[in-house]
Amino acid sequence: MDLRIFTEPQQGASYDTLLAVAKATEDLGFDAFFRSDHYVSMGSADGLPGPTDAWITLAGLARETKRIRLGTLMTAGTFRLPGVLAIQVAQVDQMSGGRVELGLGAGWFEEEHKAYGIPFPKEKFARLEEQLAIVTGLWATEVGKTFSYEGRHYQLTESPALPKPAQTKVPVLIGGHGAIRTPRLAAQYADEFNLPFASIEDSERQFGRVRAAAEKAGRAADDLIYSNALVVCVGKDDAEVARRAAAIGRDVAELKANGLAGSPAEVVEKIGRYAATGSSRIYLQVLDLDDLDHLELISSQVSSQLS
């Protein structure tokens, strides 16, 4: 089971804070540092000092880390034109020496679009499908050849399809709870299918849908990695769990029901139940980015038991 650190900077984090978390992620042996792609905070968080852009952040971290994978859960398709996104991700992949992964979603948070003047189209899923075709098509085009695309939402004419990523293939993540279109899209384009904030039962059901869609598309179901994203709140005792839950404004019982919370033994046991559904990677949603001791505890008491 791979454990990755997943952050939500829109809730309030500077680049320096994210850098500290990314360096701790690397030093403590976690597999990757991922971040959300949002411009407005959610819930009661004030969001100070203000939003950081996902790919500018990852470009900086690409130069200041050496080992960990870097990526997004999920880049909002509404924020960037697909041709521009292909250039951005390829460049950050070069800057990292080939450690980037692209999670791409349709975009859903209308308020942040209104706040920053970003168009929020009604037909987001159809646009996402074209975006995936364009981004992956640009990267796959041989050097010296051009890429053209004629879609309903996007048209590209004889693009030089440059630059190329450092990796032969940048891993693409697709995720979500949709029962029909999402599994089909994952089967066609994804290297990894991620299910955010889902129960064990829902994970088993959705992974089954994706596996069936992959086989229908002529792929082996095991060609894809299956993963979960879950909020994490671990403590060496009940008091520490309660303190960490209070720091993020959550209830311990709710966290235990819907996330990975409790003692290291409790969290290891629940991770094992997710593993039984076919999940081989967990993105640990860390909401208190100033509590680096939390990461150390997870590394020493949870990761060590999963090795």
Side-chain angles (χ1 to χ4, degrees), residues 81-284:
L81 296 171
V84 175
L85 180 62
I87 292 170
Q88 291 172 323
V89 177
Q91 183 178 3
V92 178
D93 194 52
Q94 291 175 359
M95 293 168 69
S96 71
R99 293 183 285 124
V100 158
E101 303 184 10
L102 171 64
L104 185 58
W108 62 270
F109 190 23
E110 186 172 6
E111 286 79 1
E112 65 188 340
H113 294 75
K114 291 178 178 178
Y116 286 97
I118 303 168
F120 190 69
K122 290 183 178 180
E123 291 188 9
K124 293 182 288 297
F125 198 90
R127 288 174 181 270
L128 173 62
E129 189 161 4
E130 291 191 14
Q131 289 163 348
L132 285 162
I134 292 166
V135 171
T136 58
L138 287 167
W139 291 338
T141 299
E142 294 180 21
V143 175
K145 295 186 177 181
T146 61
F147 175 83
S148 297
Y149 183 87
E150 187 66 31
R152 179 181 175 188
H153 302 286
Y154 304 102
Q155 298 81 39
L156 285 75
T157 302
E158 296 186 0
S159 169
L162 297 171
K164 300 302 183 191
Q167 298 175 87
T168 302
K169 188 179 192 309
V170 173
V172 173
L173 290 75
I174 295 173
H177 296 261
I180 298 174
R181 293 188 301 175
T182 297
R184 176 182 59 79
L185 210 57
Q188 185 173 359
Y189 291 107
D191 299 283
E192 177 178 337
F193 179 77
N194 178 264
L195 192 58
F197 315 118
S199 68
I200 292 164
E201 295 75 19
D202 288 345
S203 296
E204 186 171 28
R205 185 179 304 111
Q206 186 70 338
F207 291 160
R209 290 175 181 140
V210 176
R211 295 177 71 88
E215 291 173 351
K216 184 176 180 180
R219 286 181 75 178
D222 290 338
D223 278 353
L224 284 84
I225 292 170
Y226 299 86
S227 64
N228 291 90
L230 295 160
V231 63
V232 66
C233 181
V234 187
K236 62 180 182 294
D237 52 36
D238 290 346
E240 190 166 82
V241 174
R243 176 178 63 79
R244 288 198 163 110
I248 60 174
R250 302 281 285 270
D251 177 74
V252 172
E254 179 269 322
L255 286 170
K256 287 188 176 185
N258 299 315
L260 298 172
S263 68
E266 288 178 285
V267 170
V268 168
E269 187 276 334
K270 193 165 185 182
I271 288 175
R273 292 163 62 195
Y274 276 98
T277 71
S279 182
S280 62
R281 181 172 289 163
I282 302 286
Y283 292 81
L284 302 172

